[in-house]
Each structure stands twice: as C-alpha cells, then as structure tokens.
Amino acid sequence: MQNRWIKWPLILLSGGFILFLCFYASIYFGFFGTLPTTKELSSLKQAEATQVLDKDGHLIGKYYIFDRQPITYEDLPQHLIDALVATEDVRFYEHDGVDNISLFRVFFKTILLRDKSSGGGSTITLQLAKNLFGRKKYRLFSTVINKLKESFIAKRIEDIYSKKEILTLYFNTVPFPDNTYGIESASQKFFNKPTHQLTLSEAAILIGTLKANHSYNPRLFPERSQLRRDVVLQQMVKYKYISTARADQTMNQNIALDYQYFNHDLGLAPYFRSAVKKELNELLKNHKKPDNTPYDLYNDGLIIYTTLDAKMQFLAEEAMKEHMQVLQKDYEKSYGTTAPWKNNKELVDNAVKDLTMYKNYKSQGLTENQIKDSLSKKKDIELFEWEGNITKMASSLDSLQHYLKFLNAGMIAIEPSTGAVQAYIGGIDYRYFKYDHVSQSKRQVGSTFKPFVYTAAIEHGLKPCSYFSTREITYTNLDNWTPKNASEEEDPYLNYTLEKALSTSVNTIAVKVLNEVGISKVVDQVRKLGISDSLSEKPAMALGTDGIKIKDLAGAYASYVNQGKAVQPYYISKIEDKNGNLITSFEPEIAETPAYNDYTRQVLLEMMKSTVEKGTATRLRTTYQLDNDIAGKTGTTQDNKDGWFVGITPNLVTVTWVGNDNYNIGFKTTTLGQGANTALPVFAKLYQKMSRDVVFNPITKSKFEEPSKEVLQDLDCKSEKRDNLLKRLFSKKTKKRKFNKE
C-alpha cells in the first residue's frame, strides 16, 4: 500500500517530466515555428528609416514604415544604459540570456498561481528576441511557448554577441511611444536631440515608457510619465548607479519636451519633404545597391542631405502663418454677407463636381439627387481654422464650402548663385491642403513678368531714360483691346522713364515696351532665363497673364544677382546609404552663358531697387522698417486673383504668392488683393525675423555691388515729364493704333 502511494506520484511526475521534455523539444525543433539559426542571428537586418537632413545636418524629417534610426554603442550615454539595466534587468551582466531565478518565479507565480504582480521575468536579451521576431498566438499555452522560444533565441544571441552589442541591438530595436522604434528616433522625436545628448531625466523618461508605451507616453500623459521616471531613478539609486542626492535633484525637474513631428503631414517643411520624396523616387530608379537590388526609401536607412536651412524654414513658416491669419480675417470681412463660397451657387456646384467623391458616385451610376443626398450626410469632421481646428457635425458639402473660403500661399527662397533651396512653403497647412503651390501650381504671374519685358528692351538697345506715355491705347488689330492701369487716376499726359514705369508697375507702358521690342524677342529672353512653361505670345503677356511655377520664377530672377545667369532651384545635395557610402551627389544647374549682358543686369537691378525705394514695394521701408539692401517686384493679376512679390537681395532670392485655390474667387478689392498687401508681407516678416538673428548676417547685411558709371549716367534723368500745352490740346486721353506683333 505504501509503495502504491509512492509509485503513482512517481509515474505521474515522470510522465509529466517526459511530456514537458517532448513539449520543450517540439519548440526547440520548430514544431511551433522555426527558430532563427546562428547564421541568421549573425546577420540581423532591421528596416531603417531614411533620414532627411538640412544643409547643416539637422534632422528635418524621415521616410519610414517603422521609425527607426540605428546608432552605435559609443552613442549611448552611460546613465541611459544604467537606467535600463536597473529597471529592466539588474542581473544583465551575470546571466546568459535567461535569468533562471526570475524565470522560475514567473513560472510558478504568474503561470501556476496566476499572480500578475510577480513581474515578467524577462531579461534585456529576451526582450530583444521578442523585439526582433515578435510573438505568435497559439490555441493553448501561448505565454509558455513564446517564452521558451525567446529563451532559445536569447541564448543563441548571447553566444554570438557581446553584452555591449546586445545593448546596442536592444536600444536600436525597442519600441517607444508614438510608433517610434529605437532610442535615437525616440530621442529625436521627444527631445529634438541625438541620444548622446540625453540628460539623466530625459533618459529615465524614455526608459520609463518601456513598461507601457501608451500609458507612459510623456506627450499624452506628462504627470504619469514623470512619476514613472521617478521610479526609474529610484531603481538606479537602489542598485547604486546614482546617488540619492542626484536622484532627488533630477526628480525636482519637470518634464520638458521638444516634440518633433516626423510624420508626413506634420513637422517642419512638410511640402518640401514631399517634393524631395517625389524626386528621390525618380532618382533611386537609376541606382542599385551593391547586390544589384533596388534601394527601398522606407527600409534601407538612406541619408538624404538637402539644401534647406531649417532655421530659415522655421522663420518662414512663422512669418507666413502670422500674416495669413490676419489677411484671412480681412478677406472674409471684405466680402461680408456676399461671400461667393456662400452665395454663388454655380461656383459651389462646379466645385462639387471636382470632388473625387462626386466623380466616384457618378461613375457608379448615381443620379444627381442621389449624389447630393450622399454628400449631405453629416458626421464628425475636424475642420481647419487659423485660431485652432474645430470638430463639428458636417457633411462633405459643408466641408467643401468651409475650405472654399481659405486663401493659400506659396513661397520659395533660394541661394541665387547656385539655386539651392533655403526655404520652401507649398501651402498654409499640409494636413488639409496637399496641393503644392511651389512645384505644382502655375498661376498667372502678373506684373512680376514685367522685368523680363524690360530686360529684353534694354538688351536690344532701349535706354533706361527713354520716355513712354502713360496714356491708354486701344489696339485696333486686337479686337480694340485697351490695357488699363491699376489706378484710374493716372494722368494721361505724363511720360515716365523705364525705371519709373517698372517701379510703379504701369500697365500701359509695359505693353508699349513689349510692342517696341517685339513679342518674339521677349519670349526668347524668357527662354534664356530658364522658363520653359508655355507662353501665350500675345500682347497681354506683358501684364503677366501666363502661368509660371514659383520655383521657375525664382530661378529666373536669380540671374539679376548672378552675373546674368539663371539657375534651376534644387533640393538635394547628396544621398548616402546607411553606412555613409555615397550613392550620388548633385551639382547646381547654372546656365553656361548669361541671359543678357552685365549692363542690362545692372540697369534692371537699379530699376527694381527703385520699386522698393519709391515704387509699389515702399512699405518694406515704411511699414516694416527694413533697411537691408533689397530690390523687388510686386505683382497683381486680373480681378485680384493672385498677389505676388519677388524679393532680391545679394545672397537670397525669395518669391511669395497668395491667392485662393479656386481660381474663380479673387479678392474683393485691389487695395486688399494687390501683391504689396498679400504677398510682400510674408517676405517682410521673414526678413524682420532674420535681421534679428546674427546667424543670418551674411544674407541680411549683404550689399549690392556699385553699378558702373555708364549705368549711373544713363539712369540720371528726371523720372517723369508732362506733355506740353500744345500736345495736351491735340491729344486724346485714349489713342488708337495697331500692335506690332513682331
């Protein structure tokens, strides 16, 4: 009887042991999924985010599926390593990948006794195995199967790698909050600094999030995150990594984030990053990896060096937002109850038909009433507002009308000697307005085209002191077309020099100068300036009725401070692989020969200086109190649809545009819609901000060269003269003549 009480427990125990061995062996030999081999573990490869850097090497964005940036062990500050070990694995340097003491506790307390407070029993190496290979769900014993699989992998990792290498692998793969992988990505995202610069407090905050990424996210739950940070610091004291005094001092510090949005829609320069990505997709088609496979922008950890100046970009975005917020209010106020986005049914109906949803419904065979019903269904929608986004019950039709009212903006600033893009704004907010007005949009350029007309005129022998009458002319061979000036009060008996005509942007004279020099010569001049967009080649071209891209306009204007040579704005300087090996680099595209002679260049530059000193851009001096060396040209298109300003300084050329995305909606008045009021202030505010920072002194304090004596002599004349009495008596306010199209 006694033997029976001993026999059966032994049989059961032996049977259980054999079953466990079989279970153990089945996991080891891959019955629940093949384990990675030593060879596979020796060549671990993780997807890495492509980094986008500004001209000084500052991180401005990433392209990724998993936001991960690998670093080396030398980049890890010791207090970061100590925080991890003290919190996650105090016996890390003693075990072989599996902490048997902790695992024994987990097996009996957590699994058998269901005591969740006993801890996870996981080591850093076990966590690394989980980070690298993930976990699968099984019908029974998922926790046990996954733990055992990870223990096999962990032991193999420990056989292959040193403790330093394991720590490096861990820090490069561990997930942090906000879909961030690896310590470098987390450091850049939450504190805007590389890992090696993390303070003790910052390191403890990030280590604290490892317990629960969402719950201890310092962006979402700062108070909870701070409490968890203090637990990490107390653990470091407990295991003698830091003193109590240092822990207390650190715990008295509040969390201070410098959060960076590296996703596609948020953060610095989203339009620029999108433009760079499009260019990269084309460029990488022509380059292969050493194994002849194509590069993967989202997984291969490429390093993209761009031309952007992150600090200037920040100030440019700030300037744009400050101005546009005020301008939007004035714009809506000017329309009052007659706003076209509310009262013009035809305009709204046409806008509806441009909606992708409308086109999809139409292709499905729905009637107009059915489509209208579908588009009228209300739901919670977040809507953009300058004062702060709002969420309300609204339909697709409501949303359309809401966005029809918004003015948009575009801006590019380039280095005129190379074309390197320093700042780039494609619109007011990339989340809601994806269309890029720098690289995609072709809007009528208005009076910013006039300098090209005058350049051709001077280049072909017209002297800057040539006088032209401001009087209106009806061109009989152009359906009696009568170009008019912006000001109805223009004295028809006045004659202006070319300098005065350009600086005050007189339309009637611009057309007369075009008539004098000939359309073909002006078109040829524009082509030499690198503008390949189609031109109407009609007299109205002098008034800027053709559409030209912002970046092409900037490249052409650069010629006036670049020995007459136009440039092609470019974004990328070089591309490297994740190991720093050069894939390709880019040289500036500068015209080989000047588009015009240096005399012409100096004359036009002096004319555009006059625009700032006494012409349409004087508010740079009066309202904004800028005393920098600046030349420029304003532009306003027909019915006040577009406002432009081109600012030229010796080392920076800036083009700004403002208008409504819907071309049927312009400004209600010229006073409000003129380029000097809509586009110029963005440039002015940017220059005010740059002028306050010594970093930009090479730009803001740069001086134009002195013009030659010949240029000064040829410009030395009265800017205007009036017809004598006899001529006035026998002249009509409006003359009729034919336009010379040659």
Side-chain angles (χ1 to χ4, degrees), residues 79-346:
H79 54 256
L80 175 69
I81 296 170
D82 294 342
L84 175 69
V85 172
T87 309
E88 297 291 322
D89 188 0
V90 294
R91 284 182 286 276
F92 171 71
Y93 294 105
E94 301 163 17
H95 61 65
D96 62 351
V98 178
D99 187 344
N100 293 316
I101 298 172
S102 295
L103 201 61
F104 186 79
R105 183 190 71 238
V106 170
F107 185 79
F108 281 96
K109 286 190 173 182
T110 305
I111 297 175
L112 298 182
L113 301 178
R114 302 294 180 182
D115 180 5
K116 294 184 179 179
S117 66
S118 63
S122 185
T123 66
I124 288 172
T125 320
L126 283 167
Q127 290 180 44
L128 174 60
K130 182 177 70 173
N131 294 340
L132 290 172
F133 301 102
R135 284 182 168 179
K136 293 182 179 179
K137 289 186 177 180
Y138 303 95
R139 290 185 179 180
L140 296 171
F141 308 118
S142 280
T143 302
V144 176
I145 293 170
N146 281 309
K147 283 282 185 182
L148 285 173
K149 286 180 71 174
E150 288 162 9
S151 68
F152 293 139
I153 298 170
K155 285 180 177 293
R156 291 180 185 179
I157 289 173
E158 291 272 352
D159 290 338
I160 299 168
Y161 297 102
S162 68
K163 291 291 184 180
K164 286 184 178 180
E165 290 171 328
I166 291 169
L167 284 170
T168 306
L169 280 169
Y170 178 86
F171 273 117
N172 281 330
T173 57
V174 65
F176 288 93
D178 291 346
N179 192 34
T180 310
Y181 291 80
I183 188 65
E184 180 69 4
S185 291
S187 180
Q188 294 282 3
K189 179 171 283 186
F190 287 94
F191 300 108
N192 194 22
K193 62 174 63 171
T195 303
H196 68 85
Q197 293 180 6
L198 287 173
T199 65
L200 174 59
S201 175
E202 292 164 347
I205 289 167
L206 293 179
I207 295 301
T209 66
L210 299 179
K211 183 177 177 65
N213 285 345
H214 179 73
S215 297
Y216 295 112
N217 185 329
R219 177 178 64 85
L220 299 175
F221 312 108
E223 293 180 3
R224 193 185 300 167
S225 177
Q226 188 161 318
L227 290 172
R228 179 63 187 164
R229 176 204 66 181
D230 294 348
V231 170
V232 173
L233 294 170
Q234 289 161 7
Q235 286 291 103
M236 295 180 75
V237 172
K238 179 179 178 180
Y239 294 105
K240 297 182 170 39
Y241 285 112
I242 58 173
S243 66
T244 302
R246 189 179 181 195
D248 290 341
Q249 181 185 25
T250 307
M251 284 190 282
N252 285 329
Q253 299 172 12
N254 291 324
I255 286 181
L257 301 181
D258 186 1
Y259 194 86
Q260 302 297 304
Y261 290 93
F262 291 124
N263 67 33
H264 305 304
D265 289 0
L266 295 169
L268 190 73
Y271 292 94
F272 177 80
R273 287 185 277 118
S274 179
V276 168
K277 185 174 74 171
K278 287 178 185 176
E279 193 163 316
L280 285 170
N281 286 330
E282 291 301 314
L283 289 169
L284 292 176
K285 289 178 182 178
N286 302 318
H287 298 277
K288 302 284 186 182
K289 289 190 277 190
D291 63 2
N292 208 37
T293 59
Y295 284 102
D296 187 328
L297 187 61
Y298 298 97
N299 292 304
D300 285 342
L302 303 179
I303 305 169
I304 314 301
Y305 293 85
T306 72
T307 61
L308 199 78
D309 184 321
K311 195 164 190 178
M312 188 189 299
Q313 176 70 24
F314 177 81
L315 296 179
E317 291 182 11
E318 199 175 57
M320 180 273 291
K321 290 172 183 175
E322 287 176 7
H323 171 60
M324 293 301 293
Q325 189 168 357
V326 174
L327 184 64
Q328 183 68 37
K329 287 181 181 177
D330 293 341
Y331 178 65
E332 292 181 40
K333 184 179 179 181
S334 70
Y335 273 111
T337 58
T338 64
W341 51 88
K342 292 180 180 178
N343 300 291
N344 190 325
K345 186 177 182 302
E346 183 182 358

Side-chain angles (χ1 to χ4, degrees), residues 292-429:
N292 208 37
T293 59
Y295 284 102
D296 187 328
L297 187 61
Y298 298 97
N299 292 304
D300 285 342
L302 303 179
I303 305 169
I304 314 301
Y305 293 85
T306 72
T307 61
L308 199 78
D309 184 321
K311 195 164 190 178
M312 188 189 299
Q313 176 70 24
F314 177 81
L315 296 179
E317 291 182 11
E318 199 175 57
M320 180 273 291
K321 290 172 183 175
E322 287 176 7
H323 171 60
M324 293 301 293
Q325 189 168 357
V326 174
L327 184 64
Q328 183 68 37
K329 287 181 181 177
D330 293 341
Y331 178 65
E332 292 181 40
K333 184 179 179 181
S334 70
Y335 273 111
T337 58
T338 64
W341 51 88
K342 292 180 180 178
N343 300 291
N344 190 325
K345 186 177 182 302
E346 183 182 358
L347 183 148
V348 175
D349 287 345
N350 288 335
V352 168
K353 291 176 182 177
D354 285 333
L355 289 175
T356 302
M357 290 176 65
Y358 176 90
K359 293 174 182 177
N360 289 339
Y361 288 138
K362 196 73 174 173
S363 66
Q364 294 169 20
L366 273 65
T367 66
E368 290 295 324
N369 286 335
Q370 288 172 325
I371 294 174
K372 186 176 181 181
D373 288 343
S374 297
L375 294 176
S376 298
K377 291 179 180 176
K378 295 184 182 291
K379 58 183 178 181
D380 271 343
I381 298 179
E382 183 181 26
L383 299 171
F384 171 81
E385 286 284 2
W386 278 113
E387 293 77 14
N389 293 352
I390 57 173
T391 301
K392 59 185 285 189
M393 288 293 290
S395 67
S396 297
L397 292 177
D398 296 331
S399 177
L400 171 72
Q401 285 187 280
H402 175 79
Y403 284 110
L404 273 176
K405 73 180 181 181
F406 280 102
L407 295 169
N408 221 316
M411 192 209 81
I412 193 171
I414 67 170
E415 184 179 64
S417 60
T418 64
V421 174
Q422 308 276 276
Y424 184 114
I425 296 174
I428 57 174
D429 193 310

Side-chain angles (χ1 to χ4, degrees), residues 20-37 138 145 148-153 156:
F20 179 76
L21 285 177
C22 291
F23 179 63
Y24 187 89
S26 69
I27 295 172
Y28 184 83
F29 290 109
F31 183 80
F32 291 96
T34 306
L35 296 175
T37 64
Y138 303 95
I145 293 170
L148 285 173
K149 286 180 71 174
E150 288 162 9
S151 68
F152 293 139
I153 298 170
R156 291 180 185 179

Side-chain angles (χ1 to χ4, degrees), residues 708-723:
S708 68
K709 288 183 179 179
E710 181 186 7
V711 169
L712 291 175
Q713 287 172 356
D714 286 352
L715 285 167
D716 186 16
C717 56
K718 289 183 178 180
S719 61
E720 62 181 66
K721 64 180 181 180
R722 207 158 187 266
D723 290 341

Side-chain angles (χ1 to χ4, degrees), residues 682-696:
V682 178
F683 169 85
K685 285 177 175 289
L686 170 60
Y687 245 72
Q688 282 181 328
K689 294 172 187 294
M690 289 172 61
S691 296
R692 291 193 286 265
D693 192 329
V694 296
V695 170
F696 296 110

Side-chain angles (χ1 to χ4, degrees), residues 573-633:
S573 55
K574 64 178 178 177
I575 304 172
E576 293 179 350
D577 67 15
K578 64 181 179 181
N579 298 314
N581 299 312
L582 183 68
I583 296 173
T584 186
S585 60
F586 304 91
E587 296 297 326
E589 290 186 39
I590 306 170
E592 292 183 7
T593 57
Y596 42 78
N597 64 49
D598 204 55
Y599 171 85
T600 299
R601 183 187 69 81
Q602 290 184 44
V603 168
L604 263 292
L605 194 57
E606 291 303 306
M607 287 182 176
M608 287 187 281
K609 287 183 194 176
S610 292
T611 303
V612 174
E613 301 302 332
K614 50 191 177 183
T616 57
T618 53
R619 65 177 68 188
L620 287 175
R621 302 297 190 210
T622 56
T623 303
Y624 297 100
Q625 298 292 304
L626 293 174
D627 59 3
N628 318 73
D629 273 21
I630 303 172
K633 186 69 190 79

Side-chain angles (χ1 to χ4, degrees), residues 561-578:
V561 280
N562 188 38
Q563 290 81 49
K565 296 179 180 180
V567 297
Q568 287 294 322
Y570 72 104
Y571 319 134
I572 303 169
S573 55
K574 64 178 178 177
I575 304 172
E576 293 179 350
D577 67 15
K578 64 181 179 181

